[in-house]
Amino acid sequence: MKKLALGLSLAASLVSTVASAHAHKTDHWDSYQHLAKEIAASVDSAPIAMLAKKSAELTTLSTKLIPAFVAKQPICQEYLGAALAAANDMMKLSLDEIERDYHADGKLPAVKSAACYHAKDLLVHPATMAVIAKTSGDSKETRKQIEHELEEVLEHFSQVKQAAGL
């Protein structure tokens, strides 16, 4: 009877640990989506420095999502690994450089699946938003560019969640 109780206790503990790990991963997805929507709601009114800060936060959150995505889509390992390795540098590039090197994949290995491309864009578009906010003057056009990048973020996000089975 003691062995059965111990076994049930261990099983319950394992289920709790797995559920907690899943919830933690899900929290990153929820946090990413929430922050993207928060930025979208304030893109016309928030100070440009705040948009830059929140865009950088969204970029950082993407670096937590992508490894979980790669675990479900191992075909993306090389491509997304290269994008992740460049995450910090992306926000220091000019708009032309980030477009050429990461939107157009100039510095990334060949993409092997559309799902990989969508996941990469969860990193590249917020990094681009940060670059725009930091390097362009605060104008209606700048905010429109940020808003366009954010629309891309939200579209790619739904594609990635679907490909990840979430």
Side-chain angles (χ1 to χ4, degrees):
M1 196 56 142
K2 281 185 178 181
K3 286 184 181 180
L4 178 60
L6 180 60
L8 289 175
S9 175
L10 287 172
S13 177
L14 179 61
V15 167
S16 174
T17 301
V18 169
S20 175
H22 176 72
H24 185 64
K25 287 179 185 173
T26 303
D27 286 346
H28 290 312
W29 291 95
D30 292 343
S31 295
Y32 186 93
Q33 186 173 29
H34 176 77
L35 182 54
K37 288 181 177 181
E38 182 183 313
I39 297 168
S42 66
V43 74
D44 291 330
S45 59
I48 200 76
M50 181 60 72
L51 293 175
K53 180 180 180 282
K54 297 243 183 232
S55 297
E57 288 173 19
L58 196 61
T59 304
T60 299
L61 266 175
S62 75
T63 66
K64 295 177 180 6
L65 299 181
I66 290 173
F69 180 78
V70 169
K72 293 185 177 272
Q73 298 283 338
I75 192 170
C76 300
Q77 175 63 49
E78 182 184 10
Y79 181 74
L80 292 177
L84 281 172
N88 289 330
D89 293 333
M90 278 184 208
M91 290 186 285
K92 297 173 189 166
L93 299 174
S94 71
L95 193 53
D96 287 341
E97 289 170 322
I98 198 168
E99 288 287 342
R100 178 193 66 224
D101 297 344
Y102 299 102
H103 282 276
D105 291 358
K107 286 199 171 180
L108 297 175
V111 65
K112 296 178 180 172
S113 163
C116 307
Y117 180 82
H118 291 302
K120 178 230 17 180
D121 281 347
L122 295 183
L123 168 64
V124 174
H125 285 288
T128 304
M129 291 162 51
V131 168
I132 292 168
K134 289 177 188 175
T135 62
S136 301
D138 187 356
S139 68
K140 211 170 193 152
E141 182 57 34
T142 297
R143 290 173 183 272
K144 256 192 167 351
Q145 283 181 289
I146 293 170
E147 186 175 30
H148 173 73
E149 294 295 329
L150 196 50
E151 288 168 359
E152 292 284 329
V153 163
L154 293 169
E155 179 57 35
H156 290 293
F157 182 78
S158 68
Q159 297 285 332
V160 172
K161 273 189 84 169
Q162 185 177 14
L166 299 172

